[in-house]
Every structure is written in structure tokens, then in C-alpha cells.
């Protein structure tokens, strides 16, 4: 109470001015319909402006929650597409038929840090082994290839991106059905090299390049990029092709991790082949 009295005494003239100002505005508004309508409209405009700004702030604060919901929904929808399923028998069948078995699951995550301007580049994501993350899982964003999981702790994981000298992926060109592999030469972060396409293959600028799916990390037909340039090196039997990367890795904030439900089966078979090679030496 003491502080209140001190405040009133200290600001007596200002408070008196406010009271008189409110009284004057009230008297003016009640004296004529014109002033009453003007005051009413002005107050409505102010209140509307305040409510609009409040709504915008609320929407901004809820963006992360909304974004997470969209990521979860996109992951669920991606598991339903045909390329995420394995055909058990031959024939023309509808997705969801018992002859199709789901092969790939998708786990959404956020990128919390990363690089694109080093010789070997990584992302760090906010999902780990407690969320089902496993080393070797493919990583995509907006339907484009990004990389694969290199290491994982309980709550986080590192993603080795396509901009790394250890990354190589089998791909195909749908227009001519040729296949090769892509890698990064450590120079331009927007361009990849495509090798293995023979000289007799018809290759044009702008041709799409998609994942081939043979590594087991990605489903078939994940977008990789488009042909940026085509050249021939003397003495080589293959095109020298540069690809324009399908996604700007510097602007990737959300990703999806690809879980191949047949990965263990594939690995056991490949390990058996490798073991057989060494045992004959």
C-alpha cells in the first residue's frame, strides 16, 4: 500500500491528465453520433490489430509442433507408397494386397547441426538408438537422397552426407535404363560425379537420376539429381557426367531415416559370400 501511495503521489499530474483525457473522450463521444461511430470504429481497429498479432505470435510458437506433426504424417504416407513394399509374387496387384509386404519404414528427425563446405561433411540429428536409429540407415529429405547414418548414440546420430569421400551410391537413369554410381569429388557442393555410363548410352542434360536400391539403404527411385554436363575423357569408355544435386544440403532442416526391414537378411547373405571368398584363399 505504501508503494502504491508513493506511485500515485509521484505521478499525480500524469494520472490526472489520463483521467481528464478519458472523461473528455467520453463526453465527446456521447455528444454526437458521428464521434461515437468514429471512436467505436477506431477501437475496433485497435482491438482487431492486437488480436491479429496475438494470433500470429501463437501460430509462430506452434510452428515446431505443427512441423513435427507434418513430418510424422509424411513418414506414415511414405510407408504406404509402392516403392516401400516388396512384391512377394508376380502379377498386377494393388498396394495393400497380401502379395505385397512392407519393406521400408521411415523415421522423421530434425537436423541440429551440419556442414557442407568441408572435404567430409556430416549432419547431426535429434534421434538415436532409443528411437530405433541404426547405423547404415539411409537418410532422405523432401524425397531426395541425403546420406546414411554413420554413428548413433541413445539420443542423437551423425549422418554421413553425399558430400563425403566415403559415400557412393548405385543409381539408374530412367530415360535410358542405364545404371552407374555417384560420388563427390570434394569440390562443388552442388555437383556429384556419375560414373559407369557407357559411351553408347544416350545421355542428355537434364536427365533424371534415381536410386537403384541395390545397396538396401534406399528404396528404388529416390531422386538423386539431374545431369548437369556430359563430356568424354580421352581413352575412357564411359561418359564423364556431372550431376546437379537434387537438394540444397545447406537448407536441410528435417530428414527421414529409412529402415530396411530386410537389411539383416541381406547382410547375412553378403557376409556369407565374403566369408566364402576368404576361406578359399
Amino acid at each position: 500500500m505504501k508503494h502504491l501511495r508513493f506511485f500515485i503521489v509521484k505521478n499525480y499530474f500524469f494520472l490526472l491528465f489520463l483521467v481528464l483525457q478519458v472523461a473528455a473522450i467520453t463526453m465527446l463521444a456521447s455528444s454526437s453520433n458521428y464521434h461515437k461511430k468514429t471512436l467505436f470504429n477506431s477501437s475496433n481497429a485497435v482491438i482487431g490489430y492486437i488480436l491479429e498479432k496475438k494470433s500470429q505470435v501463437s501460430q509462430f510458437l506452434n510452428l515446431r509442433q505443427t512441423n513435427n506433426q507434418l513430418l510424422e504424417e509424411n513418414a506414415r504416407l511414405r510407408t504406404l507408397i509402392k516403392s516401400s513394399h516388396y512384391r512377394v509374387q508376380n502379377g498386377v496387384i494393388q498396394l495393400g494386397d497380401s502379395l505385397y509386404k512392407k519393406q521400408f519404414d521411415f523415421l522423421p528427425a530434425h537436423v541440429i547441426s551440419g556442414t557442407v563446405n568441408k572435404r567430409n561433411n556430416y549432419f547431426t540429428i535429434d534421434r538415436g538408438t532409443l528411437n530405433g536409429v541404426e547405423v547404415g540407415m539411409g537418410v532422405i529429405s523432401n524425397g531426395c537422397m541425403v546420406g546414411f547414418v554413420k554413428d548413433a548414440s541413445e539420443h542423437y546420430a551423425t549422418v554421413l552426407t553425399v558430400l563425403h569421400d566415403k559415400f557412393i551410391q548405385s543409381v539408374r537413369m530412367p530415360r535410358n535404363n542405364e545404371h552407374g554410381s555417384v560420388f563427390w569429388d570434394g569440390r562443388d557442393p552442388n555437383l556429384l560425379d556419375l560414373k559407369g555410363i557407357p559411351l553408347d548410352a544416350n545421355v542428355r542434360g537434364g536427365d533424371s537420376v534415381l536410386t537403384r536400391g541395390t545397396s538396401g539403404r534406399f528404396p528404388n527411385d529416390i531422386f538423386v539429381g539431374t545431369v548437369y554436363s556430359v563430356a568424354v575423357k580421352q581413352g575412357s569408355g564411359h561418359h564423364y557426367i556431372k550431376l546437379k544435386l537434387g537438394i540444397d544440403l545447406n537448407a536441410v532442416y528435417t530428414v527421414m531415416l529409412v529402415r530396411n526391414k530386410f537389411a539383416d537378411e541381406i547382410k547375412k547373405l553378403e557376409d556369407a559370400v565374403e566369408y566364402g571368398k576368404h576361406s578359399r584363399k
Side-chain angles (χ1 to χ4, degrees):
M1 184 63 69
K2 179 180 178 181
H3 292 293
L4 179 60
R5 287 199 301 267
F6 178 75
F7 176 80
I8 294 174
V9 171
K10 183 179 180 181
N11 299 280
Y12 173 77
F13 290 105
F14 178 72
L15 294 174
L16 180 60
F17 169 77
L18 287 180
V19 171
L20 294 175
Q21 191 72 11
V22 170
I25 293 174
T26 302
M27 293 171 61
L28 180 64
S30 61
S31 64
S32 69
N33 289 332
Y34 172 77
H35 291 101
K36 186 183 295 184
K37 290 180 180 179
T38 301
L39 181 62
F40 179 77
N41 292 335
S42 299
S43 63
N44 277 351
V46 172
I47 293 172
Y49 176 80
I50 294 173
L51 291 176
E52 181 184 358
K53 293 303 176 183
K54 179 184 177 182
S55 176
Q56 291 175 357
V57 171
S58 297
Q59 291 176 18
F60 176 78
L61 295 176
N62 290 325
L63 277 179
R64 185 173 181 84
Q65 180 182 357
T66 302
N67 190 42
N68 287 337
Q69 292 173 347
L70 290 173
L71 281 174
E72 295 286 350
E73 182 67 11
N74 285 337
R76 187 186 70 80
L77 292 174
R78 185 166 282 279
T79 62
L80 298 178
I81 63 177
K82 187 173 181 179
S83 61
S84 297
H85 290 68
Y86 174 79
R87 181 176 292 182
V88 181
Q89 298 182 20
N90 292 326
V92 179
I93 43 186
Q94 298 295 322
L95 187 62
D97 193 291
S98 60
L99 297 181
Y100 272 107
K101 183 177 180 181
K102 185 169 68 172
Q103 181 177 358
F104 295 98
D105 287 328
F106 297 87
L107 173 68
H110 293 90
V111 176
I112 60 176
S113 66
T115 63
V116 296
N117 55 3
K118 296 182 179 180
R119 180 63 185 89
N120 294 310
N121 296 279
Y122 291 88
F123 284 163
T124 301
I125 59 175
D126 62 351
R127 293 290 185 270
T129 55
L130 292 180
N131 307 107
V133 176
E134 300 174 1
V135 172
M137 292 175 69
V139 180
I140 64 176
S141 181
N142 292 326
C144 298
M145 183 179 70
V146 169
F148 65 86
V149 175
K150 179 65 170 63
D151 294 295
S153 63
E154 288 188 347
H155 301 98
Y156 301 96
T158 53
V159 175
L160 185 152
T161 74
V162 296
L163 304 181
H164 193 289
D165 64 6
K166 300 295 183 185
F167 185 92
I168 188 168
Q169 173 64 36
S170 178
V171 297
R172 71 181 189 90
M173 305 182 72
R175 191 177 66 80
N176 54 26
N177 207 32
E178 295 289 344
H179 60 84
S181 56
V182 294
F183 62 95
W184 188 49
D185 64 3
R187 299 176 183 174
D188 191 331
N190 297 307
L191 299 177
L192 299 178
D193 285 353
L194 171 57
K195 66 178 182 179
I197 306 299
L199 290 178
D200 59 357
N202 183 9
V203 181
R204 303 172 185 168
D207 280 352
S208 296
V209 177
L210 313 174
T211 57
R212 193 170 168 223
T214 54
S215 68
R217 286 184 181 137
F218 303 97
N220 285 312
D221 299 339
I222 297 296
F223 190 64
V224 178
T226 54
V227 173
Y228 179 76
S229 64
V230 186
V232 178
K233 284 189 174 181
Q234 188 173 3
S236 174
H238 296 87
H239 288 294
Y240 179 68
I241 301 173
K242 287 286 186 180
L243 293 186
K244 175 76 172 177
L245 196 60
I247 191 169
D248 180 5
L249 292 178
N250 200 39
V252 172
Y253 303 104
T254 58
V255 295
M256 287 190 187
L257 283 66
V258 183
R259 179 187 292 111
N260 187 348
K261 301 179 76 171
F262 300 161
D264 289 340
E265 182 179 345
I266 295 171
K267 187 176 186 306
K268 287 179 182 178
L269 289 172
E270 291 177 347
D271 288 346
V273 172
E274 290 299 319
Y275 178 77
K277 288 180 180 179
H278 292 303
S279 64
R280 291 193 296 270
K281 290 182 179 180

